[in-house]
Amino acid sequence: METWYYVVESIDGDYANLRRTDIESDDLKLVARALLPEDISEGTQLKYELMQYTRL
């Protein structure tokens, strides 16, 4: 399985916009907050692996 790294760019209600940090990309990924750790805020770094997001 692959591992991807993200940073939380913004939070909008029940969703968060994530930007990949392990590759050059300006694209944002919209993710439901229910899938993310509860204590995230803007600037939080995340790792996505085995279909789970965890804080770094």
Side-chain angles (χ1 to χ4, degrees):
M1 294 240 85
E2 291 189 45
T3 302
W4 295 282
Y5 294 91
Y6 293 93
V7 65
V8 178
E9 286 290 318
S10 63
I11 296 174
D12 185 18
D14 292 335
Y15 295 91
N17 287 299
L18 307 181
R19 182 179 46 81
R20 282 199 54 188
T21 58
D22 57 322
I23 62 169
E24 286 291 323
S25 176
D26 290 331
D27 296 333
L28 295 178
K29 179 177 183 178
L30 187 65
V31 178
R33 289 191 63 191
L35 300 174
L36 302 171
E38 288 184 24
D39 56 346
I40 65 164
S41 60
E42 291 181 10
T44 299
Q45 294 186 3
L46 301 169
K47 177 174 75 170
Y48 180 75
E49 186 175 48
L50 300 174
M51 300 179 66
Q52 281 190 316
Y53 291 93
T54 54
R55 279 186 74 143
L56 292 178

